[in-house]
């Protein structure tokens, strides 16, 4: 064999040779000949062994060349031959190592080795490439198992693993002996490693099923790195693979781990870190995929080998300032793993602690990273550190403060991480299982007092002054000492420092005193030398130990790690300062206290011998009585600080409960559960607040709330059933004490859920009855009522709980205790109401409603409690009890009107019985001319107040009874009758199937199915007629009480008691709900109460009543709509809130038309009360879902809000507009608004109005069409561009337009900008000229006579420059076709503020205007905008006012009339009644009742 086989870089290189001794492929056989050539190698392999490759290489080369066309079976045969040859080659090389060989044999073995390895590696790469190709099975989702060849009997995964194992065995041999000199050539190593890296590119290598293959690959690479000097190449190749293939992150991390742990090669990890650290941050920011792989690889490697990564962490720090947030996440993750795995151990040296502090400082800094992903990632790292107990106690205070601040983060992921970290810190706190601040604070004060008693007497005032002087002296000498230390370090005073010696019998205290004296004498050199000698003699003396540094000093030390001299200088200066100024006896540092086992320190023996033994064994501080007390005080102080910080986070957590992000709510719920379990003082606030979330529409949130309360109140492990049930009952009763109405309703839902899931045991129900009846020992009144409330809540899911114990409820809840405790009676009625079920009766169910006889003991006792208790004015709960009582009577009694009528009569008898005739008052009334009543009775205002409240509630419940219960019962009975009728019909049809039934009396209504519908209508009409004529009107009991209610409401001066007037107003509204006739007669009185009542509570209640009236009688209330909107400017926040809620429901339910007054709703966006502002935003958010509602009202709203007289300040106007314009999403709407707003520039009257319009234009999103409309209407605002604010708004519009415009539109934009700039510049110059002229005329006026008043006014009438005078005429408006598609015709936006009079005053105008044709007016017409900014009442607006008045009078009219009513109608309306005023002046001009 006279040739050398050179491993080629390209297979074609084997076809040519530049050296005569180099092997060259003689012939490349065709694909048909390959099979014969390969089959011929079988015999040669048996006879010659692996050296047969020397003669048959051309055949295998041809197999590689025609791999795609050769039959798969022939390829498999070739592979099997090569694998067999490799096995034999391994045996031969092993035998050569044992017995030695000659150079010729070595040369032959080398060529065999290289040829065989080349063919095997190339063939393996081809098989691997074929296996990576997607097949039809994988494309269709099938064939996820191992890939097989077409023959289906050959498993490439198994063959690959076999090949790799043989290759690893081969590489472990001493192959270098085959080369001369004995160094394995690099091409051979690259051949093997390149094949391995190719296999890593297959995505399946990271799967679990390929675990054996992955381990074999890593083993081969490890051998190459260990024995074949492949470390540097492997590092670079790993980085390349990470850049292009994300799936290799875990395999490569595993490979590096194996290199370090199994092969002991750390250089690969260091080299990879160095290469990653030297990468350009900008390249990392651009290559997102590669950077993501780098970051994940770093974190995984740090998790596996953190100690190896620690020395190289400095090379990665540069990426913390880079643009790539992904790389920052990776580096920070590495830091977290290092701290967790390496630097969290006990007994760290000072260097390790300094490194740990530096890493933790970096992690703290990035809690405020600019990128939200980094902030969230850092919080997760801190969470892992917390769970691993790797956070030093001295850091928890600052960390918790930072994390609480992140609760306000704008990103949901960061907020979620913050809550999780706070919860983890709470769960892993080393202080206590319960953290009530008040108890801890009291304990701290007690222990501090004990410590003061144990402490020696503190320094006197004189000593304190001396210490202060010492500090001043030290500040003066500090610079001199620093210079001396620097000189001594350079060797100038070396002999003197060495000559200082300390005698053996010298005490350290005397040496310290001597050093102080030398400093006082300014002998700094001797002092420093003596200090150095003392440090050598007493190295363990507490003042000679390096003092603990704060964060800043730690940073400085970290920056000067390589400068030992500076470190030594700093140490000497700190010790000298401590010696001179005089430090106190050091208190144990918080990080030195073993909080995990504080009893170990507190219960330690105080004898000196044991103390010294402990110090030697565990390096613990000397434990005596004083030290033990100091430890205890430090422990409690840290505990108090921690509890206070957690307590500060509770209010923010409460806000997160109301977040729109489900993750915020879920995490906040988990936090409150944990905080409650740890006894955090104010955690109960969050526990109660999250109760309402049981009604959440998010299933996850509702389930979390139910699970939280189940965990807090029902999970009581380790107790007997009876004891467990008793604890559960006490827990639930505690929730009822002090609960608000909302909390009570939420708790009812929770208890109902517990009943459905059988979480409430039967024993608990029995114990609740015991508490209610006070049979349980030591039961209080509150516990009895709480148990009753829980029973009523449980009965919602299981009515048998109440139904089987009606007698108990009546006898106890309505017995003797009820006469003294109206709350108990109220809760009893609420529990009894569960018998009637919830909601309206089910008509189709056919179940008869539960009713009891009118003479049942329940109703007798209720009446008795009501009548006898009406005179007990010491309790404020009679009225709420009466509400529940009347409701229970109407839902459960067979004749509730009779029962309630009797109660009213009895209470009236009580009033009459205690009344006395007041002759003086009667005489006074007669003198005043009021002769409506012959006698005047006097009674207690409290009793009368309760009587009126009861009367109103009876009237309201009578309405509900008739409209819901009676009507529902009539329908139910009719359905039963119809069902029976249908059943009989079907039977009759079956009998007479062959006969026709033409003459059976069937009516046309029966045939058309209208009988039921007509009967239902007649029943409803009958019920309405009764409500209208026979309840509060006509000849009946409530009708006689109506005048009394009206009299009390009409005479606030005479009836001055606030409770009386409040209940009377509410009763009046309830009476008005029953009958439209009664409502219309007293509507003006109700609105007078709404506007004139001095108590905010009365106004707040009345506005809710008006909302209910609007639902019942919308036509009657519609003319009074402006009075409703006027309450949005009420001085009381509660009135404004109720008004806003009422209008929100009315508008969103289409009960009130959206008109110009809706601008008052917009002003609430900037209300001082945050709740009102939030409700207003929610209203507009919901309104934006109703078609084009926001778009339709926007122009008028802008005009009203920018009016300087009635609108908002400019800053608030901008805030409102920013919010509202966010709902303009459609391009067509934005384009139409551009044109409308441009036209409104002509109607401006003040300097601010153009600024506001321009600001609104800048808020729109512009399309190409919108920009063209803006230019087309340039003439509308050209004279306003001189204003800097207006110009700035248009400049911002152009800036936004340039970002999205096409190149062909850019020319148009540039031209528009040029024109805009020219007009602005010219306007500024004109203003300057006008200003100069004004100054000149003013100067000239000093020498002229003053202008006459008439002339002065004449000058004023001249229009200002740049202002378009208003046109007084109003012409018919037209609609653009594009606007017609966008406008919502159901929403009217009046263009002027109207000042409505009482509806009766518009009757004449209404009659005269009926015959006129209605024309829809578009508020966008420029001619109709003349009056938009002028809302003063003038004669020019009178026609428009009457037009709007006519619209208000007739609810059927949906659009204002284009014509104006006659002049006589207007004058007659003003003569008859007082004008109620417009929206703004309504508080000054209201209906007056005499």
């Amino acid at each position: 064999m006279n040739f050398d086989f050179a491993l080629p870089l390209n297979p074609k290189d084997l076809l040519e040779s530049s050296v005569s001794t180099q092997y060259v492929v003689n012939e490349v056989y065709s694909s048909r000949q390959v099979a014969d050539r390969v089959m011929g190698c079988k015999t040669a392999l048996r006879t010659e062994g692996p050296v047969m490759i020397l003669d048959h290489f051309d055949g295998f080369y041809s197999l590689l060349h025609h791999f795609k066309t050769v039959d798969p079976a022939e390829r498999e045969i070739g592979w099997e031959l090569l694998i067999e040859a490799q096995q034999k080659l391994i045996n031969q090389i092993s035998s050569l190592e044992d017995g030695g060989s000659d150079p010729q044999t070595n040369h032959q073995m080398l060529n065999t080795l290289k040829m065989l390895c080349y063919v095997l590696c190339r063939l393996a790469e081809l098989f691997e490439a074929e296996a990576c190709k997607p097949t039809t099975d994988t494309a269709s989702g099938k064939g996820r198992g191992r890939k097989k060849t077409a023959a289906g009997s050959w498993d490439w995964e198994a063959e690959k693993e076999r090949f790799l194992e043989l290759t690893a065995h081969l590489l472990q041999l001493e192959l270098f002996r085959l080369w001369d000199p004995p160094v394995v050539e690099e091409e051979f190593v690259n051949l093997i490693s390149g094949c391995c890296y190719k296999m890593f590119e297959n995505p399946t290598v990271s799967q679990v099923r390929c675990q054996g293959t992955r381990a074999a690959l890593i083993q081969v690479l490890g051998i190459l790195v260990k024995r074949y000097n492949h470390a540097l190449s492997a590092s670079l190749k790993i980085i390349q693979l990470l850049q292009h293939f994300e799936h290799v992150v875990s395999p490569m991390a595993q490979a590096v781990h194996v290199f370090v742990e199994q092969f002991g090669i750390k250089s690969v990890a260091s080299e990879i870190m160095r290469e990653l650290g030297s990468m350009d941050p900008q390249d990392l920011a651009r290559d997102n995929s590669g950077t993501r792989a780098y970051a994940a690889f770093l974190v995984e490697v740090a998790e596996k080998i953190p100690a190896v990564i620690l020395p190289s962490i400095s090379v990665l720090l540069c990426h913390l300032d880079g643009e790539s947030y992904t790389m920052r996440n990776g580096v920070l993750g590495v830091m977290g793993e290092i701290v967790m795995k390496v630097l969290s151990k006990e007994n760290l040296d000072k260097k390790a602690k300094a490194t740990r502090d530096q890493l933790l400082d970096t992690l703290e800094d990035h809690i405020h990273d600019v990128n939200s992903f980094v902030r969230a990632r850092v919080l997760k790292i801190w969470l892992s550190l917390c769970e691993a107990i790797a956070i030093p106690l001295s850091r928890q205070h600052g960390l918790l403060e930072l994390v609480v601040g992140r609760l306000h983060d704008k990103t949901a992921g960061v907020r979620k991480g913050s809550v999780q970290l706070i919860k983890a810190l709470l769960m892993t706190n080393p202080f206590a299982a319960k953290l009530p601040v008040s108890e801890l604070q009291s304990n701290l004060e007690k222990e501090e007092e004990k410590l003061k008693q144990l402490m020696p007497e503190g320094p006197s005032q004189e000593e304190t002054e001396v210490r202060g002087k010492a500090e001043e002296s030290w500040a003066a000498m500090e610079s001199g000492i620093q210079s001396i230390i620097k000189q001594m370090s350079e060797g100038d005073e070396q002999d003197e420092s060495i000559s200082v010696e300390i005698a053996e019998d010298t005490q350290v205290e005397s040496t310290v005193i001597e050093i102080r004296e030398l400093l006082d004498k300014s002998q700094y050199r001797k002092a420093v030398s003596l200090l150095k000698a003392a440090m050598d003699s007493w190295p363990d003396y507490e003042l000679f130990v390096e003092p603990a540094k704060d964060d800043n000093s730690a940073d400085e030390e970290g920056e000067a790690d390589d400068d030992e001299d500076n470190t030594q200088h700093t140490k000497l200066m700190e010790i000298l300062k401590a010696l001179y100024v005089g430090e106190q006896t050091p208190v144990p540092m918080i990080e030195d206290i073993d909080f995990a086992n504080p009893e170990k320190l507190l219960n330690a023996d105080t004898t000196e011998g044991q103390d010294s033994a402990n110090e030697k064994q565990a390096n613990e501080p000397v434990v005596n009585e004083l030290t033990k007390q100091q430890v205890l005080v430090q422990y409690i102080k840290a505990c108090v600080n921690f509890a206070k910080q957690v307590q500060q986070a509770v209010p923010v957590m409460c806000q997160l409960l109301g977040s729109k992000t489900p993750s915020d709510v879920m995490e906040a719920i988990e936090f409150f559960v944990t905080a409650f379990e740890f006894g955090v003082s104010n955690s109960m606030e969050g526990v109660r607040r999250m109760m309402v979330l049981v009604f959440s529409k998010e299933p996850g949130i509702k389930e979390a709330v139910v699970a939280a309360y189940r965990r807090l109140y029902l999970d009581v492990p380790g107790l007997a059933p009876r004891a467990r049930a008793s604890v559960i009952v006490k827990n639930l009763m505690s929730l009822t004490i002090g609960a608000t109405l909302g909390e009570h309703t939420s708790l009812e839902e929770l208890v109902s859920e517990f009943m459905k899931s059988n979480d409430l045991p039967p024993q608990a129900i029995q114990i609740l009855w015991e508490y209610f009846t006070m049979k349980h020992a030591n039961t209080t009144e509150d516990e009895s009522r709480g148990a009753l409330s829980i029973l009523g809540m449980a009965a919602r899911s299981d009515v048998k709980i109440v139904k089987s114990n009606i007698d108990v409820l009546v006898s106890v809840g309505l017995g003797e205790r009820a006469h003294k405790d109206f709350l108990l009676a109220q809760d009893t009625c609420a529990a009894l109401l569960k018998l009637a079920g919830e909601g309206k009766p089910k008509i189709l169910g056919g179940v008869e409603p539960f009713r009891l006889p009118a003479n049942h003991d329940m109703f007798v006792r209720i009446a008795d409690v009501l009548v006898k208790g009406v005179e007990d004015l010491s309790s404020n709960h009679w009225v709420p009890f009466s509400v529940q009582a009347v409701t229970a009577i109407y839902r459960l009694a067979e004749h509730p009107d009779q029962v309630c009528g009797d109660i009213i009569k009895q209470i009236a008898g009580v009033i009459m019985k205690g009344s006395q005739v007041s002759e003086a008052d009667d005489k006074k009334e007669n003198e005043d001319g009021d002769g409506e009543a012959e006698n005047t009775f006097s009674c207690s205002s409290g009793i009368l107040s309760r009587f009126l409240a009861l009367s109103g509630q009876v009237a309201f419940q009578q309405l509900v009874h008739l409209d819901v219960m009676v009507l529902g019962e009539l329908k139910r009975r009719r359905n039963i009758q119809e069902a029976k009728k249908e059943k009989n019909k079907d039977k009759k049809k079956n009998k007479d199937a062959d006969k026709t039934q033409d003459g059976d009396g069937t009516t046309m209504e029966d045939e058309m199915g209208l009988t039921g519908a007509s009967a239902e209508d007649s029943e409803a009409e009958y019920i309405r007629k009764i409500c209208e004529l026979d309840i509060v009107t006509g000849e009946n009991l409530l009708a006689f009480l109506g005048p009394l209610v009206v009299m009390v409401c009409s005479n606030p001066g005479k009836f001055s008691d606030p409770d009386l007037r409040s209940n009377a107003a509410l009763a009046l509204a309830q009476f008005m709900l029953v009958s439209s006739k009664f409502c219309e007669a007293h509507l003006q009185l109700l609105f007078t109460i709404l506007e004139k009542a001095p108590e905010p509570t009365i106004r707040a209640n009345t506005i809710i009543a008006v909302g209910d009236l609007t639902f019942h009688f919308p036509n009657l209330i519609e003319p009074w709509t402006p009075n409703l909107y006027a309450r949005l400017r009420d001085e009381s926040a509660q009135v404004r809130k109720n008004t806003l809620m009422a209008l929100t429901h009315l508008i969103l339910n289409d009960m009130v038309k959206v008109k110009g007054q809706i601008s008052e709703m917009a002003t609430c966006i900037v209300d001082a009360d945050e709740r009102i502002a939030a409700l207003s935003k929610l209203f507009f958010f919901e309104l934006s879902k109703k078609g084009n509602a926001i778009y339709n009202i926007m122009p008028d709203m802008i005009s009203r809000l920018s009016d300087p007289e009635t609108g908002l300040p400019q800053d608030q106007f901008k805030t409102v507009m920013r919010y509202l314009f966010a709902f303009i999403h459609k391009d067509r709407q934005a384009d139409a608004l551009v044109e409308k707003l441009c036209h409104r520039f002509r109607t401006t009257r003040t300097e601010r109005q153009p600024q506001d319009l321009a600001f609104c234009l800048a808020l729109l999103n512009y399309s190409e069409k919108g920009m063209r409309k803006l230019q087309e209407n340039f003439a509308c605002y050209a004279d306003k561009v001189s204003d800097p604010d207006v110009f700035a708004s248009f400049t911002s519009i152009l800036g936004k337009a340039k970002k999205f415009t096409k190149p062909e539109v850019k020319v148009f934009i540039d031209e528009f900008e040029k024109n805009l700039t020219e007009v602005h510049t010219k306007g500024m110059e004109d203003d300057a000229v006008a200003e100069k002229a004004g100054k000149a005329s003013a100067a000239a006026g000093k020498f002229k006579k003053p202008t006459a008043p008439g002339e002065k006014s004449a000058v004023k009438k001249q229009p200002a420059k740049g202002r378009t005078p208003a046109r007084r005429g109003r012409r018919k408006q037209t609609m653009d076709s594009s606007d017609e598609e966008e406008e919502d015709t159901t929403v009217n936006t009046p263009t002027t503020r109207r000042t409505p009079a009482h509806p009766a005053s518009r009757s004449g105008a209404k009659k005269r205007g009926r015959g006129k044709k209605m024309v829809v007016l578009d508020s966008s017409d420029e001619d109709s905008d003349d009056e938009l900014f002028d809302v003063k009442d003038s004669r020019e607006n009178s026609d428009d006012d009457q037009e709007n008045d006519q619209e208000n009078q007739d609810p059927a009219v949906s659009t204002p009339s284009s014509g104006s009513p006659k002049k006589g109608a207007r004058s007659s309306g003003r003569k008859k009644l007082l004008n109620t005023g417009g929206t703004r002046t309504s508080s000054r001009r209201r209906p007056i009742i005499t």
Side-chain angles (χ1 to χ4, degrees), residues 1323-1378:
M1324 295 290 288
E1325 293 174 354
D1326 292 345
D1327 290 344
V1329 171
E1331 184 178 357
K1332 289 181 180 179
K1335 290 181 179 179
S1337 61
K1342 295 180 180 179
F1343 305 99
K1344 294 183 179 180
K1345 295 181 180 180
T1347 308
E1351 297 173 351
K1352 185 175 182 181
S1353 61
V1355 172
K1356 275 189 175 182
K1357 291 182 179 179
Q1358 296 296 329
K1361 179 173 179 158
R1363 300 288 170 84
T1364 305
R1367 280 172 278 183
R1368 300 185 181 278
R1370 182 183 294 269
R1371 65 172 180 247
K1372 183 179 178 180
Q1373 301 181 3
T1374 59
M1375 297 185 82
D1376 189 17
S1377 60
S1378 64

Side-chain angles (χ1 to χ4, degrees), residues 48 108 124 131 236 649 1399:
E48 302 176 13
Q108 183 184 23
L236 298 176

Side-chain angles (χ1 to χ4, degrees), residues 177-196:
R177 296 178 181 273
L178 300 179
W179 274 268
D180 188 21
V183 177
V184 179
E185 60 184 282
E186 187 177 355
E187 288 80 5
F188 178 78
V189 176
N190 292 339
L191 173 68
I192 304 296
S193 62
C195 179
C196 294

Side-chain angles (χ1 to χ4, degrees), residues 343-372:
L343 300 178
S344 62
K345 301 177 182 178
E346 297 181 359
N347 301 326
L348 292 176
D349 56 13
K350 293 182 180 179
K351 186 176 181 181
K353 286 184 178 180
T355 304
R356 179 196 65 189
D357 292 339
Q358 291 177 9
L359 295 180
L360 293 177
D361 287 340
T362 304
L363 289 174
E364 278 188 0
D365 293 340
H366 284 274
I367 290 178
H368 293 286
D369 196 281
V370 295
N371 191 280
S372 61

Side-chain angles (χ1 to χ4, degrees), residues 438-572:
S438 57
E439 296 180 10
L440 293 173
Q441 191 69 40
S442 61
N443 291 339
L444 177 61
E445 293 174 358
K446 293 177 183 178
E447 298 302 330
E448 284 181 340
E449 187 64 29
K450 292 181 181 179
L451 180 62
K452 288 180 181 180
Q453 296 175 3
L454 294 174
M455 286 285 289
E457 294 184 1
S460 62
Q461 184 176 0
E462 296 179 357
E463 293 175 347
T464 305
E465 294 176 357
V466 171
R467 180 180 175 88
K469 293 179 179 179
E471 292 179 350
E472 295 177 0
S473 301
W474 171 259
M477 67 177 69
E478 188 173 6
S479 59
I481 297 175
Q482 285 180 346
S483 61
I484 292 300
I485 293 176
K486 185 176 182 181
Q487 293 174 10
M488 293 175 67
S489 64
E490 294 174 356
D492 294 342
E493 301 294 331
Q494 187 175 10
D495 295 336
E496 185 178 353
S497 64
I498 295 175
S499 61
V500 176
E501 294 182 359
I502 298 176
E504 294 182 359
D505 57 347
T506 305
Q507 298 293 327
V508 64
E509 289 81 5
S510 61
T511 306
V512 170
I513 294 173
E514 186 178 354
I515 293 173
R516 291 176 180 172
E517 292 175 352
L518 290 174
L519 291 175
D520 286 332
K521 297 176 182 179
S522 300
Q523 296 180 7
Y524 303 145
R525 293 180 178 85
K526 290 184 180 180
V528 174
S529 301
L530 183 59
L531 174 62
K532 289 183 178 181
M535 292 173 65
D536 293 336
S537 301
W538 301 287
D540 296 331
Y541 183 59
E542 57 186 4
L543 292 179
F544 294 162
V545 178
E546 183 180 1
K549 298 179 177 58
D550 55 10
D551 294 341
N552 295 331
S553 62
D555 294 340
E556 293 172 2
E557 183 183 355
E559 296 173 359
D561 280 340
D562 299 332
D563 193 349
E564 296 181 359
D565 292 338
N566 291 338
T567 305
Q568 186 67 17
H569 297 171
T570 304
K571 181 178 179 180
L572 289 173

Side-chain angles (χ1 to χ4, degrees), residues 72 125 427 460 601 895 976 1075 1212 1251 1276 1427 1457 1471:
E125 291 177 7
M427 295 177 67
S460 62
L601 288 176
H895 300 288
I976 293 175
S1075 170
Q1212 295 183 356
Q1251 297 173 0
C1276 297
E1427 307 303 329
S1457 173
K1471 288 179 180 178

Side-chain angles (χ1 to χ4, degrees), residues 17 68 308 406 493 496 515 528 631 657 802 872 1064 1090 1154 1258 1425 1434-1435 1437:
S17 176
K68 295 181 179 180
V308 178
R406 286 297 89 207
E493 301 294 331
E496 185 178 353
I515 293 173
V528 174
V631 169
L657 287 175
V802 173
D872 183 10
L1090 175 63
V1154 181
D1425 296 335
S1434 61
R1435 294 183 179 180
N1437 295 338

